[in-house]
Amino acid sequence: MATANISAHEAGATDDLSISELATIDFDPWPVSPDKWQPPTNEQWCNAINPTLTAARVAFVSMHKSKDQLVGIVSELEKDGVDVLDSIQHAQAFIDPIKSVLDAAYARMLIASAAAIEEEGGDTAR
């Protein structure tokens, strides 16, 4: 069996493998360490959700504006003391580790599901 520590980067690589191929991949548990990233607490979620979702809405709207429109919007927001880049960067910093863990967990669960199908003698066709 191949052994791998499935990372978020590697998670996408599992999409092209058959169930049989997925079932042969092994991985090690991540070590638990207080100095490593931990999921947000309920209080951290509550404190982060409004500014994070606001930044996501601003980011979404910005994707549907021209450069000239965005120059005007940024100028107006800066007059009001809103730092758009800072808001988006804080949202990225909050969301990126969560996405990385979700991607890695998806890959691990996909591998474990394939292994369960193989153990049950199930259909290996994709």
Side-chain angles (χ1 to χ4, degrees), residues 3 11 40 68 71-72 100 110 116 121:
T3 301
D68 289 341
V71 168
S100 293
L110 184 63

Side-chain angles (χ1 to χ4, degrees), residues 6-7 27-28 40 65 74 94 98 104 106:
I6 303 299
S7 68
F27 49 82
D28 298 317
K65 301 290 182 190
V74 168
F94 184 75
I98 296 169
Y106 177 82

Side-chain angles (χ1 to χ4, degrees), residues 31-38:
V32 177
S33 175
D35 61 332
K36 300 285 185 185
W37 180 85
Q38 299 287 320

Side-chain angles (χ1 to χ4, degrees), residues 4-50:
N5 234 348
I6 303 299
S7 68
H9 174 73
E10 296 165 322
T14 60
D15 292 340
D16 295 329
L17 300 178
S18 70
I19 291 174
S20 294
E21 291 168 323
L22 283 169
T24 65
I25 299 171
D26 196 11
F27 49 82
D28 298 317
W30 286 358
V32 177
S33 175
D35 61 332
K36 300 285 185 185
W37 180 85
Q38 299 287 320
T41 64
N42 286 344
E43 184 177 346
Q44 290 168 326
W45 273 113
C46 289
N47 292 334
I49 199 66
N50 189 41

Side-chain angles (χ1 to χ4, degrees), residues 37-90:
W37 180 85
Q38 299 287 320
T41 64
N42 286 344
E43 184 177 346
Q44 290 168 326
W45 273 113
C46 289
N47 292 334
I49 199 66
N50 189 41
T52 301
L53 291 178
T54 299
R57 285 191 297 269
V58 168
F60 180 78
V61 167
S62 75
M63 301 308 295
H64 298 91
K65 301 290 182 190
S66 69
K67 179 180 175 182
D68 289 341
Q69 289 173 312
L70 285 177
V71 168
I73 291 169
V74 168
S75 296
E76 286 299 314
L77 289 172
E78 286 178 352
K79 286 179 190 173
D80 294 337
V82 177
D83 186 340
V84 177
L85 292 176
D86 188 56
S87 297
I88 291 172
Q89 280 185 318
H90 276 88

